[in-house]
Amino acid sequence: QPLHAMIGDINLFLSEEDDYNSDDEQNFQQQQMLQTNKEKVPAELTQAELDIMIAVESHRHKNLGTELALMMMYYGASALLLRRFYVKIKDTNHSSIKLFKEKLGFVECAYAECFGEYEFELKCETSEDMAELIEQKWQCLVAQKQSPSATEETVARNG
């Protein structure tokens, strides 16, 4: 049945790699300028915070988050020349931690105890290396989807 509503959203927030806690107003103005002018990202903006939310519970746990994150990251690496992605996740959000740490290969780089929030990152030396890494992760995801699980194979054989 057709869905006539958004099920969630995904965003990239670009920033300078050396400036993790820069002025939010300045970052907002840079984001607005990039969206308005449709220009390439200035060389100093080589990282992005990735935010993803699947709000509709019936659409969770279906690999949508993995697929959407990979597509957005590939766009970021290939079109915006990003070489670092990071996420901030509440320490109680086990599904998101599993997504970024186990499925996408992000590593923990910080923990803010006052917020109960982890920061995970995926970083490469160049945007080209990042795009290649994301392509490899996409190919693994496609291969997993194409090969039936052991349960499905057993049912098919014994069917």
Side-chain angles (χ1 to χ4, degrees), residues 8-14 31 35 47-53 64-87 100 104 106 122 130-131 134 138:
D9 68 355
I10 185 166
N11 301 286
L12 285 178
F13 297 99
L14 308 178
Q31 296 288 331
Q35 290 176 7
Q47 74 172 7
E49 179 178 355
L50 177 62
D51 287 347
I52 186 166
M53 175 191 58
L64 283 175
T66 306
E67 293 175 12
L68 294 170
L70 287 171
M71 285 188 273
M72 184 65 98
M73 290 167 56
Y74 185 77
Y75 171 76
S78 61
L80 303 177
L81 308 179
L82 302 176
R83 63 181 205 96
R84 179 181 185 257
F85 294 94
Y86 66 98
V87 294
F100 286 99
L104 297 176
F106 280 56
L122 187 64
M130 179 61 76
I134 296 165
W138 183 263

Side-chain angles (χ1 to χ4, degrees), residues 17-34:
E17 200 160 336
D18 293 330
D19 192 8
Y20 298 121
N21 297 313
S22 66
D23 179 4
D24 287 338
E25 179 63 26
Q26 181 183 4
N27 275 346
F28 177 76
Q29 288 174 358
Q30 286 178 331
Q31 296 288 331
Q32 292 298 101
M33 181 271 303
L34 290 170

Side-chain angles (χ1 to χ4, degrees), residues 33-59:
M33 181 271 303
L34 290 170
Q35 290 176 7
T36 304
N37 296 331
K38 305 291 184 202
E39 296 174 7
K40 284 238 184 244
V41 177
E44 66 271 8
L45 299 180
T46 59
Q47 74 172 7
E49 179 178 355
L50 177 62
D51 287 347
I52 186 166
M53 175 191 58
I54 307 294
V56 178
E57 287 190 35
S58 63
H59 286 81

Side-chain angles (χ1 to χ4, degrees), residues 118-132:
Y118 288 105
E119 183 173 322
F120 296 98
E121 71 177 353
L122 187 64
K123 184 175 183 178
C124 291
E125 288 297 316
T126 67
S127 59
E128 293 84 7
D129 291 344
M130 179 61 76
E132 186 175 317

